């Protein structure tokens, strides 16, 4: 049983926070993939990423919270908020380190750090995190998981898979 912040018990599928977290996360992805977003869409993008993270706080675990931080970092980066991006990318990376994540989760968190560096204009940091991401990608057994992370890295200036 999951418990919401007011103490009401819900099954995993009945928890309204879980449903809202998923809906907001999916909306943020839609907006991330929208070309030529307007200022209002950029604001909605950030709002959706933060909303998803907030709802996961009440319905998720460590992984969902870290992925929420990662989504905020990615959203902040694409709207030009490098410092905010770096703050949340670092939070997500720290969780990956503490929990010794490997495979796609580690690669994704390194991608988030690289993206934050790009948003801050930090080429040396970007290159460092590209190297970390490459090393992590080499451990990803599932080709589909690897392709998802690689597709995010390809968007960044300076990325090469070698």
């Amino acid at each position: 049983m999951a418990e919401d912040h007011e103490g009401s018990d819900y099954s995993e599928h009945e928890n309204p926070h879980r449903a809202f977290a998923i809906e907001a996360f999916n909306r943020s992805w839609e907006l991330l993939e929208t070309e030529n977003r307007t200022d209002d869409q950029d604001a909605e993008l950030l709002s959706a990423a933060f909303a998803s993270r907030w709802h996961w706080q009440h319905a998720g675990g460590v992984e969902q919270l870290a992925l929420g931080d990662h989504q905020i970092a990615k959203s902040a980066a694409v709207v030009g908020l490098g410092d905010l991006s770096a703050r949340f990318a670092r939070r997500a990376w720290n969780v990956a380190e503490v929990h010794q994540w490997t495979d796609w989760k580690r690669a994704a968190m390194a991608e988030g750090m690289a993206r934050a560096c790009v948003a801050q204009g930090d080429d040396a940091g970007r290159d460092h995190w590209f190297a970390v991401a490459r090393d992590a990608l080499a451990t990803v057994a599932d080709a589909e998981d690897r392709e998802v992370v690689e597709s995010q890295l390809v968007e960044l200036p300076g990325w090469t898979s070698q």
Side-chain angles (χ1 to χ4, degrees), residues 1-5 7-20 22 55-56 58-60:
M1 289 287 245
E3 187 172 295
D4 79 2
H5 71 286
S8 300
D9 290 332
Y10 297 97
S11 74
E12 178 179 330
H13 300 291
E14 294 172 334
N15 189 328
H17 284 291
R18 183 180 187 283
F20 287 129
I22 293 167
H55 283 289
W56 278 126
H58 302 287

Side-chain angles (χ1 to χ4, degrees), residues 27 29 31 51 64-65 106 126 136-137 139 155 159 162:
R27 180 61 182 151
W29 266 112
L31 288 163
Q64 289 83 13
L65 293 174
R106 183 174 185 82
R126 175 203 66 192
L137 282 170
T139 71
E155 295 175 357
W159 168 255
Q162 301 161 346

